[in-house]
């Protein structure tokens, strides 16, 4: 059984380059299904979720291969619109293929993606939007079958600015007949990235990054080479690690533009942060100051994907902090592992009250999902003595090589197979 071993209480100092963005490349890889030719995707991270997406693309008839750090996808021989169940169970975000397959083949059959540790994660917004776009949706024995004579543009109002639903509607609209307007659309940087990719391939999308996105259907998308941006949550995770251990680090390949709310919190904790076009410098010393109130919100609010990591840092704050998790009802599952370090955390519904302690003690912990696992690594870096973290593959779904990166910053950390 593989595990990660950490000896804590070492300051982090040095420089690390940030990998490509998981949540940007997954929808872009789905979008390659709409490209009538070849896509070359540069700066694609080598993470488990990308490997899973490659398997899905190959299973539906695409040719996919690596060219150094670039992934080349040729969808010319796409021959089915059924997404194999085994992959949907492993990665629920494979539902992002639905919109693209509907746009390309006018049908998609996919297993109902179950919830996961962080929440039920229904897809009613996705399916409701497809039905409003001339798609018939049938659900039987856990399978979802969607068919259409042709996707028709429409006005779609989202009750909540869902990232995945916004992405799926965009993908279904690009080759649709007529115009689609998405009202109350998600504004995450990954939406902007998907639209930048699609427009570069010949799509006509306006308003990406705002709450109203308009897509005019076109006939086809041409071959394209595209460079993915760096992963803002990986960068945020490493910034949080330095905030927790103390030290000074330079993150390269990413600016602070899409991390403003996180950086504001880190500065309130007492960190000094400088940034430029493609670097962020953080310096931290002593115990962090507490943060009276953090509420996770859709972008540009505080990102839910950074909630667990910031909680780990606040476990040693010089006072009491409160976090309210508004996005995923199951995102406190990881707290029982964080408490093993000697943290004082009380959960009341969506609220977590963290009373900082002067020191944490290394222990044996189990990752059960991606960002919670990363948060346990941060706690291990801060704690006295040794921490052993089991189930590292949850972390490897989104982090190319967290041990490599943190070791480069001086951490005493290793993965044992
Ligand atoms: C994306 O998930 C990200 N995943 C998540 O990152 C991220 O936490 C989330 O957006 C919010 O930013 C990818 O991009 C692959 P949502 P997604 O639809 O699209 C509810 C990570 O760690 N909802 O914006 O699934 C839902 O239950 C992952 O990298 C419905 O009710 O998020 C949740 O409460 C974790 N019905 C809320 O909306 C729907 O049809 C936000 O979900 C869809 C969503």
């Amino acid at each position: 059984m593989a595990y990660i071993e950490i000896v804590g209480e070492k300051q982090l100092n040095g420089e690390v380059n940030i990998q490509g963005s998981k949540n940007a490349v997954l929808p872009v890889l789905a979008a390659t299904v709409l490209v009538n030719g070849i896509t070359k995707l540069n700066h694609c991270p080598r993470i488990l979720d990308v490997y899973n997406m490659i398997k899905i693309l190959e299973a539906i008839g695409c040719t996919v291969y690596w060219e150094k750090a670039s992934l080349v996808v040729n969808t010319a021989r796409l021959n089915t619109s059924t997404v194999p169940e085994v992959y949907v169970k492993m990665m629920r975000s494979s539902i992002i293929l639905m919109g693209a397959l509907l746009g390309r083949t006018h049908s998609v059959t996919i297993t109902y993606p179950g919830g996961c540790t962080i929440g039920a994660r229904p897809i009613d917004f996705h399916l409701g939007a497809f039905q409003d776009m001339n798609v018939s949706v049938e659900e039987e024995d856990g399978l979802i079958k969607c068919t259409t004579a042709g996707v028709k543009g429409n006005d779609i109002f989202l009750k909540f600015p869902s990232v995945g639903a916004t992405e799926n509607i965009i993908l279904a609209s690009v080759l649709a007949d007529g115009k689609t307007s998405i009202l109350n659309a998600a504004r995450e940087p990954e939406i902007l990235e998907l639209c930048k990719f699609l427009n570069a391939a010949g799509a006509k999308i306006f308003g990406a990054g705002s709450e109203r996105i308009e897509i005019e259907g076109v006939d086809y998308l041409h071959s394209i080479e595209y460079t993915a941006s760096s992963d803002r949550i990986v960068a945020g995770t490493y910034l949080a690690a330095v905030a927790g251990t103390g030290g000074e680090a330079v993150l390269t390949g990413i600016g602070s533009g899409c991390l403003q709310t996180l950086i504001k919190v880190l500065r309130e904790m007492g960190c000094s942060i400088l940034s430029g076009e493609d670097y962020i410098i953080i310096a931290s010393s002593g115990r962090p100051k507490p943060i009276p109130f953090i509420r996770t919100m859709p972008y540009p609010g505080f990102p839910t994907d950074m909630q667990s990591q910031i909680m780990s840092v606040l476990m040693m704050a010089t006072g009491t902090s409160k976090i309210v998790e508004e996005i995923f009802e199951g995102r406190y599952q990881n707290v029982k592992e964080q408490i093993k370090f000697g943290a004082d955390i009380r959960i009341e519904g969506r609220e977590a009250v963290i009373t900082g302690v002067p020191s944490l003690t290394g222990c044996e912990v189990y990752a059960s999902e991606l960002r919670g696992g990363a948060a346990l690594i941060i706690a291990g870096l801060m704690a006295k003595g040794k921490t052993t973290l089991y189930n590292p593959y949850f972390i490897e779904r989104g982090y190319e090589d967290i041990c490599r990166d943190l070791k480069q910053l001086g951490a005493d950390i290793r993965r044992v197979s």
Side-chain angles (χ1 to χ4, degrees):
M1 174 196 241
Y3 56 88
I4 288 177
E5 209 168 62
I6 305 161
V7 175
E9 290 197 311
K10 288 184 173 48
Q11 289 215 335
L12 297 184
N13 294 289
E15 183 175 314
V16 65
N17 191 51
I18 301 300
Q19 71 180 61
S21 165
K22 166 178 91 78
N23 291 351
V25 301
L26 290 178
V28 165
L29 287 173
T32 63
V33 164
L34 295 166
V35 172
N36 198 338
I38 294 177
T39 299
K40 183 175 180 185
L41 179 56
N42 305 322
H43 199 215
C44 187
R46 290 177 180 265
I47 54 177
L48 297 187
D49 277 9
V50 164
Y51 298 148
N52 209 34
M53 189 59 107
I54 292 170
K55 289 206 187 89
I56 295 173
L57 291 172
E58 287 173 336
I60 60 176
C62 303
T63 312
V64 189
Y65 60 90
W66 289 97
E67 226 173 60
K68 296 199 182 77
S70 303
L71 199 59
V72 179
V73 184
N74 185 336
T75 65
R77 293 199 182 80
L78 188 144
N79 56 27
T80 173
S81 63
T82 298
V83 182
E85 173 175 0
V86 61
Y87 302 126
V88 181
K89 291 296 173 203
M90 281 158 74
M91 184 179 78
R92 63 175 316 284
S93 50
S94 40
I95 52 161
I96 199 66
L97 277 154
M98 293 182 80
L101 283 168
L102 278 170
R104 169 81 180 254
T105 68
H106 294 174
S107 69
V108 58
T109 302
I110 191 167
T111 319
Y112 207 96
C116 65
T117 313
I118 65 174
R121 303 182 78 177
I123 58 169
D124 50 323
F125 302 161
H126 302 240
L127 302 182
F130 293 151
Q131 286 169 319
D132 292 345
M133 299 172 81
N134 191 40
V135 175
S136 82
V137 177
E138 283 159 39
E139 298 178 50
E140 52 178 293
D141 315 333
L143 266 189
I144 308 170
K145 289 190 177 128
C146 300
T147 51
T148 176
V151 181
K152 291 213 175 324
N154 202 342
D155 292 349
I156 310 286
F157 174 75
L158 286 175
K159 280 185 281 188
F160 179 88
S162 154
V163 172
T166 302
E167 290 167 345
N168 246 335
I169 298 164
I170 290 168
L171 291 167
S173 309
V174 163
L175 301 180
D177 178 21
K179 188 174 97 172
T180 298
S181 297
I182 308 173
L183 310 172
N184 195 28
R187 298 166 51 192
E188 272 68 6
E190 291 75 27
I191 304 288
L192 216 56
E193 180 109 40
L194 174 63
C195 295
K196 224 171 99 189
F197 168 81
L198 288 165
N199 281 343
K204 285 190 180 153
I205 306 173
F206 311 94
S210 77
E211 72 283 353
R212 180 189 179 102
I213 299 177
E214 300 202 338
I215 306 104
E216 284 173 22
V218 294
D219 295 334
Y220 83 106
L221 299 183
H222 54 70
S223 294
I224 167 116
E225 177 169 356
Y226 183 79
T227 301
S229 58
S230 298
D231 195 307
R232 63 189 172 107
I233 302 301
V234 169
T237 302
Y238 296 165
L239 292 173
V242 177
T245 61
E248 183 168 331
V250 183
L251 274 53
T252 57
I254 190 163
S256 61
C258 49
L259 284 166
Q260 288 308 315
T261 41
L262 173 71
I263 286 175
K264 183 170 174 296
V265 165
L266 292 170
R267 284 181 171 141
E268 284 169 18
M269 284 179 173
C271 299
S272 308
I273 297 177
L274 286 175
S275 65
E277 184 69 22
D278 64 352
Y279 68 87
I280 303 174
I281 303 173
I282 179 169
S284 159
S285 62
R287 289 171 61 184
K289 296 189 184 87
I291 306 291
F293 185 74
I294 296 177
R295 179 192 295 275
T296 64
M297 296 293 282
Y299 194 87
F302 188 89
T304 176
D305 290 352
M306 279 302 305
Q307 182 257 102
S308 301
Q309 300 93 309
I310 284 298
M311 185 182 285
S312 281
V313 182
L314 292 171
M315 286 167 19
M316 279 187 69
T318 53
T320 298
S321 309
K322 183 194 280 189
I323 295 177
V324 181
E325 170 57 55
E326 294 285 9
I327 310 293
F328 289 111
E329 71 279 14
R331 219 154 199 177
Y332 289 144
Q333 292 294 316
N334 194 54
V335 170
K336 64 185 183 318
E337 297 299 309
Q338 288 168 301
I339 286 172
K340 288 181 182 173
F341 288 94
D344 178 351
I345 305 171
R346 270 179 302 109
I347 302 297
E348 290 141 21
R350 293 261 177 163
E351 286 188 9
V353 177
I354 307 105
T355 305
V357 294
S359 70
L360 300 171
T361 308
C363 53
E364 291 200 348
V365 285
Y366 293 79
S368 60
E369 41 93 5
L370 169 57
R371 307 303 174 185
L376 295 174
I377 287 188
I378 292 175
L381 293 169
M382 296 162 63
K384 283 182 186 321
K386 189 167 86 169
T387 291
T388 305
L389 179 137
Y390 296 103
N391 304 334
Y393 56 86
F394 282 108
I395 301 170
E396 289 149 6
R397 291 190 50 180
Y399 294 79
E400 212 169 48
D401 191 337
I402 197 164
C403 293
R404 170 199 69 195
D405 291 348
L406 291 172
K407 209 177 285 179
Q408 204 164 303
L409 295 178
D412 182 344
I413 183 170
R414 67 193 182 108
R415 185 184 195 281
V416 180
S417 300

